[in-house]
Amino acid sequence: MSGYTTRLVTLRLGGIDYRIRALSDRQQFSDPNGAAERAGISSANWCLFGQVWPAGRVLAQAMSSFDVAGKRILELGCGLGLSSLVLNRRKADITASDHHPLAEEFLTYNAALNGLSVPSYLDISWTVPQPDLGKFDLIIASDVLYERGHAEQLSSLLSRHANDRAEVLITDPGRGNSGAFTTAMKAQGYAVDEVRSAFDDGDVPPFRGRLLSYRR
């Protein structure tokens, strides 16, 4: 992993300690072959996949006890792979996905750190059709609505790859774009259940962070 520095962090999720390799800070950047640029990832956003975000921890914690029996599951924007690793340990049918050129490498490394097999992984761009991807029973993501256009892109992707009775679970830190996403999901026939929650120890009510569950 040349061109940038990393650190090891330990996270306790579902009563189990996970060792995770993450980028050292948000100043890291290395794109010598231009892969990130070709993927449309700017230098300012390059490091985001490699951080341990509060919303990612909340989603992974939820996945440690969520009912996943018999469900085909897709994680969008997996980043370091916290939720996919938790689900993989539970023997769930999980496919991790991201569009960052290093996401698969970090997922593979973190699986090995924790003595786990590597979850299935796909490089998915939300704006490019994926005719072979199929449909899923549960689709999960954390902190993926950080740009205004993401609500439309994500809802369009879900319209193509969510089963008729699928559930969509999103953890969102309150960046202001979840309302547009919820509106788009309601247009597809989903009902939303929103639970406000603390994403950090210092959070106090009323919480900005929320766990968004969509069902139809």
Side-chain angles (χ1 to χ4, degrees):
M1 294 185 181
S2 60
Y4 49 86
T5 62
T6 62
R7 62 191 176 103
L8 287 179
V9 297
T10 299
L11 303 173
R12 193 159 185 82
L13 303 167
I16 298 173
D17 286 339
Y18 289 80
R19 298 178 68 212
I20 300 295
R21 172 157 284 186
L23 292 178
S24 297
D25 52 49
R26 300 183 197 177
Q27 307 306 314
Q28 303 299 312
F29 176 72
S30 179
D31 189 28
N33 300 316
E37 183 180 5
R38 288 191 297 274
I41 302 171
S42 69
S43 58
N45 289 336
W46 184 92
C47 68
L48 300 183
F49 88 97
Q51 309 299 320
V52 177
W53 296 100
R57 293 198 309 269
V58 170
L59 181 64
Q61 184 64 39
M63 289 301 103
S64 68
S65 59
F66 201 84
D67 179 13
V68 296
K71 296 178 181 178
R72 186 179 186 225
I73 309 166
L74 174 66
E75 182 179 11
L76 296 168
C78 70
L80 297 172
L82 302 185
S83 291
S84 288
L85 293 176
V86 168
L87 289 167
N88 197 39
R89 184 182 292 276
R90 296 183 63 198
K91 309 300 183 185
D93 181 3
I94 174 65
T95 297
S97 71
D98 206 298
H99 194 44
H100 195 287
L102 290 179
E104 184 176 15
E105 182 177 347
F106 272 72
L107 176 67
T108 300
Y109 194 99
N110 285 329
L113 273 179
N114 293 279
L116 298 171
S117 60
V118 182
S120 297
Y121 178 85
L122 292 173
D123 182 335
I124 294 178
S125 170
W126 296 359
T127 59
V128 177
Q130 307 283 334
D132 298 325
L133 183 58
K135 293 183 179 291
F136 293 83
D137 306 299
L138 174 63
I139 300 177
I140 62 174
S142 63
D143 202 357
V144 290
L145 298 169
Y146 54 88
E147 292 184 5
R148 182 171 297 179
H150 287 168
E152 180 180 357
Q153 293 173 12
L154 180 56
S155 62
S156 294
L157 184 149
L158 293 171
S159 71
R160 299 189 296 272
H161 299 294
N163 282 330
D164 290 342
R165 299 185 64 82
E167 181 172 5
V168 178
L169 196 66
I170 307 287
T171 53
D172 183 77
R175 299 190 189 278
N177 297 314
S178 63
F181 178 69
T182 293
T183 297
M185 294 295 282
K186 286 181 176 179
Q188 294 183 31
Y190 286 90
V192 59
D193 181 34
E194 177 180 308
V195 177
R196 297 290 185 107
S197 59
F199 277 23
D200 280 311
D201 292 340
D203 286 353
V204 296
F207 302 120
R208 287 176 55 85
R210 63 203 74 191
L211 183 63
L212 300 165
S213 177
Y214 301 88
R215 289 187 177 93
R216 59 183 175 185

